[in-house]
Amino acid sequence: MRKALALFLAILCSLAVLGNVFTVKFPDSVPLDTVGRLFVILTKDGTEEPRFQFGWGDAPSIFFATSVEGLNSDRTVSLDADTLGYPVEKLSDLAPGFYYVQALFDFYKTFHRSDGSVVTIHKYFQFWEAPGNLYSNVVYSYVDPKKASVKLSLSNQIPEEELPADTDLVKFVKIKSEILSEFWGDDIYLRAGIILPRDYHKTSDFYPVRYNIGGFGTRYTRVLNLMKEGSSFYKMWFEEDTPKFIYVQLDSEAPFGDCYWMNSENNGPYADALMKELIPYIEQHFRAIPQPWARLLDGGSTGGWVSLALQVFYPDFFGGCWSQIPDPVDFRSFQVVNIYEDKNAYFKDYGFYRVERPSKRDAKGDTVFTIRQENWMEYVMGPHGTSGGQWDSWQAVFSPKGVDGLPLKIWDKVTGEIDHKVAEKWKRFDIYLYLKENWSKLAGKLKGKIHILAGGRDSYFLENAVYSLKEFLDKTEPHYGGYVKIVPEVGHRRILTDKQVMLEMYQAIEEKLKSK
């Protein structure tokens, strides 16, 4: 009798574990053939909605996700104990407790691209704030994977995008890109935030332009914070000894992630759109000097790589770059992975044992999260390289497209095994390799235009690649005429202030004009 009772209870427990933990209701207005990805986000921090604590790497939230490929007649979708998540890898492993809980639905769109590919993907990679996406109210609830489900309703919709209002010195630009719209088979827009010089409305002068590319996912609206009255940037902008530039904040939003402003098989011709559409528009509508020497680039982290890459790959179009803490500039040191020689991106073998590779370290050198963990997070966010995360963004930019129209995988997201045939294709975006193989043609075009700064203890190990690039540039003949500085004990932060960047830019312009 006791054995039978124990068996009965065990069966009940197993059924409970396999039951639905979350049930999410869609509005009746949502079509039954809807495709997308559904997230349930949990956090212990109630100061803001869970969806705003949702993001890359060490964000303070737990999330679970499942793909939606059509709805049933009652328009509900459930997440059971087997649903994958991050950093808890499966819902059944979630620790029971009270959480702030919110559901978020990311609508996917099918693009019929001009290259013949048909891909279904989100239109905005920062989907937790993307126009049209749905989200629930926040529920504070006890969650236990072995108990009855928490019910959530997607009763709210993110409103359509509206450009912030212009001010006297801050302007916003949004233009349809004919080049990218043709590639994607759908309307694609380019955006930028612009800060005008302090005396712009008092003169008829034309000004050089500082094109800034921020860190990963930086939006054009960043200029609002920069020019917030009383901010350090605001005070600097009005100081008499601050050089006068038009400041342009580029916006790198693209369907597969951060576009990196490169022409790529997966993202499309973003470099062409920048140089043939957005920059000409800015030069026509604002008093920008339409000359290469007056187009200066700078940025940090992602923006550090982009500013350097645009200068290197398009040396005749831009007049100089100030690249700080750039993403990997030598793919033999892709953070801590040599993509050409290593067999596995997640683990390094030392004889009879394996060590898991870190992705981020703190100031003391302790690992914050590993490459495997970060890639798992992206795998849960969007399978098949569609998360829009950092590693998927790199993959979309650097990889060729596969027969399914999606980026070829540089490595298996679960195992970390590297595909060296794909790695070979990445070489065209390897800045170190490109400079080394083409220096005789580039030397005259890049003289005095390359300025790179990195921290000697970068959180993402980015100094490793900068060291090898510095070693090459220091030995160039003829010499490149710029600088590469690696500052010891500095982590992943900018070394030069905004004012210092513009002072160096202004000095470079003066020297260029004197030499003419």
Side-chain angles (χ1 to χ4, degrees):
M1 181 68 180
R2 288 180 179 178
K3 289 183 179 180
L5 179 60
L7 179 61
F8 176 72
L9 291 174
I11 292 172
L12 282 180
C13 288
S14 66
L15 289 174
V17 170
L18 295 174
N20 298 327
V21 183
F22 299 105
T23 301
V24 181
K25 179 74 168 65
F26 282 70
D28 291 341
S29 58
V30 176
L32 293 178
D33 61 354
T34 288
V35 176
R37 194 144 180 90
L38 176 64
F39 297 84
V40 173
I41 310 153
L42 301 87
T43 179
K44 295 286 190 177
D45 182 356
T47 57
E48 62 178 349
E49 294 179 48
R51 67 189 176 104
F52 294 131
Q53 300 179 50
F54 174 65
W56 318 122
D58 49 350
S61 64
I62 301 169
F63 70 89
F64 302 93
T66 188
S67 292
V68 174
E69 297 180 356
L71 298 172
N72 54 29
S73 58
D74 65 0
R75 289 181 167 80
T76 61
V77 175
S78 297
L79 280 65
D80 62 24
D82 289 329
T83 303
L84 301 181
Y86 178 87
V88 178
E89 293 193 0
K90 189 178 288 188
L91 221 169
S92 58
D93 298 326
L94 178 69
F98 282 95
Y99 296 91
Y100 294 94
V101 185
Q102 187 172 36
L104 171 72
F105 183 70
D106 179 24
F107 284 98
Y108 280 18
K109 180 179 180 60
T110 297
F111 294 93
H112 297 265
R113 298 194 315 210
S114 63
D115 60 2
S117 301
V118 179
V119 295
T120 301
I121 187 175
H122 42 211
K123 192 169 183 179
Y124 303 95
F125 83 88
Q126 296 188 41
F127 47 83
W128 52 89
E129 57 184 14
N133 281 351
L134 302 174
Y135 62 97
S136 73
N137 293 329
V138 179
V139 174
Y140 187 63
S141 176
Y142 186 80
V143 181
D144 185 342
K146 297 180 181 180
K147 297 292 177 65
S149 67
V150 176
K151 293 180 169 38
L152 302 164
S153 178
L154 295 168
S155 55
N156 307 290
Q157 187 167 35
I158 300 171
E160 291 303 312
E161 178 187 38
E162 289 187 12
L163 292 184
D166 288 347
T167 67
D168 190 44
L169 295 182
V170 178
K171 309 295 179 183
F172 295 96
V173 167
K174 178 181 177 182
I175 63 170
K176 180 182 174 181
S177 168
E178 298 297 337
I179 293 172
L180 293 170
S181 297
E182 180 181 357
F183 175 83
W184 281 97
D186 193 71
D187 291 346
I188 301 293
Y189 292 88
L190 301 174
R191 301 162 182 82
I194 297 174
I195 305 174
L196 300 174
R198 57 185 176 273
D199 64 351
Y200 185 85
H201 299 296
K202 298 176 182 178
T203 76
S204 57
D205 294 346
F206 281 68
Y207 299 88
V209 184
R210 173 188 172 188
Y211 290 96
N212 179 270
I213 308 99
F216 182 78
T218 296
R219 302 306 309 272
Y220 66 105
T221 50
R222 176 172 178 257
V223 294
L224 291 172
N225 287 329
L226 291 178
M227 287 299 282
K228 188 175 182 179
E229 191 167 352
S231 72
S232 58
F233 185 97
Y234 180 89
K235 293 175 183 176
M236 176 275 298
W237 197 252
F238 288 95
E239 290 172 355
E240 286 301 316
D241 60 341
T242 297
K244 298 170 186 175
F245 283 85
I246 294 174
Y247 179 104
V248 176
Q249 184 71 61
L250 295 179
D251 187 294
S252 304
E253 172 76 50
F256 276 113
D258 196 302
C259 70
Y260 275 69
W261 292 105
M262 291 287 105
N263 289 342
S264 95
E265 288 188 29
N266 298 293
N267 288 327
Y270 269 88
D272 288 351
L274 174 65
M275 295 183 292
K276 296 178 181 179
E277 294 177 320
L278 184 57
I279 288 179
Y281 180 92
I282 290 169
E283 291 177 348
Q284 291 166 12
H285 289 79
F286 301 92
R287 297 199 305 275
I289 300 170
Q291 297 294 329
W293 58 263
R295 302 182 190 119
L296 292 308
L297 298 156
D298 87 292
S301 193
T302 290
W305 190 93
V306 174
S307 57
L308 179 60
L310 285 171
Q311 184 62 76
V312 167
F313 295 134
Y314 303 98
D316 296 323
F317 193 83
F318 298 101
C321 75
W322 279 257
S323 166
Q324 303 200 57
I325 51 172
D327 282 1
V329 294
D330 178 352
F331 292 174
R332 295 174 303 171
S333 295
F334 205 82
Q335 294 194 183
V336 294
V337 180
N338 182 333
I339 68 166
Y340 306 127
E341 297 182 7
D342 289 338
K343 294 181 179 180
N344 193 290
Y346 300 165
F347 301 96
K348 186 174 179 63
D349 291 320
Y350 292 93
F352 294 105
Y353 65 94
R354 312 187 93 187
V355 174
E356 190 165 353
R357 299 181 194 266
S359 179
K360 184 180 181 180
R361 59 185 169 183
D362 64 18
K364 295 179 180 179
D366 293 332
T367 299
V368 177
F369 49 77
T370 67
I371 295 176
R372 178 190 62 81
Q373 288 171 323
E374 199 173 14
N375 277 265
W376 176 260
M377 174 194 65
E378 294 189 5
Y379 180 77
V380 177
M381 277 188 173
H384 315 300
T386 62
S387 72
Q390 179 65 85
W391 298 90
D392 281 348
S393 288
W394 281 327
Q395 184 170 265
V397 176
F398 304 146
S399 285
K401 72 179 181 69
V403 294
D404 59 359
L406 298 174
L408 286 177
K409 295 178 178 61
I410 182 65
W411 55 67
D412 185 286
K413 274 284 190 183
V414 176
T415 68
E417 292 299 311
I418 296 173
D419 186 331
H420 291 104
K421 291 181 180 179
V422 176
E424 282 294 308
K425 300 295 185 180
W426 280 37
K427 285 184 174 179
R428 58 186 171 157
F429 291 103
D430 187 324
I431 294 175
Y432 165 84
L433 195 60
Y434 182 80
L435 287 171
K436 183 178 179 181
E437 294 179 349
N438 296 280
W439 187 250
S440 60
K441 296 183 293 184
L442 295 171
K445 298 179 178 183
L446 289 174
K447 184 173 178 59
K449 293 183 177 181
I450 294 177
H451 312 85
I452 305 171
L453 299 106
R457 288 181 59 83
D458 190 277
S459 303
Y460 300 96
F461 305 89
L462 299 175
E463 78 277 12
N464 296 340
V466 176
Y467 273 115
S468 58
L469 183 58
K470 174 177 169 57
E471 183 180 5
F472 166 75
L473 289 172
D474 284 347
K475 297 176 182 178
T476 51
E477 292 291 342
H479 193 262
Y480 73 105
Y483 65 70
V484 180
K485 299 177 182 179
I486 302 170
V487 184
E489 302 305 316
V490 172
H492 191 67
R493 64 171 178 81
R494 294 190 310 165
I495 288 90
L496 293 182
T497 65
D498 284 293
K499 188 166 187 174
Q500 288 171 329
V501 168
M502 290 193 291
L503 285 169
E504 290 195 13
M505 286 179 169
Y506 191 75
Q507 182 181 0
I509 288 174
E510 284 190 320
E511 291 175 358
K512 182 73 174 180
L513 294 178
K514 286 178 183 177
S515 67
K516 287 191 175 183

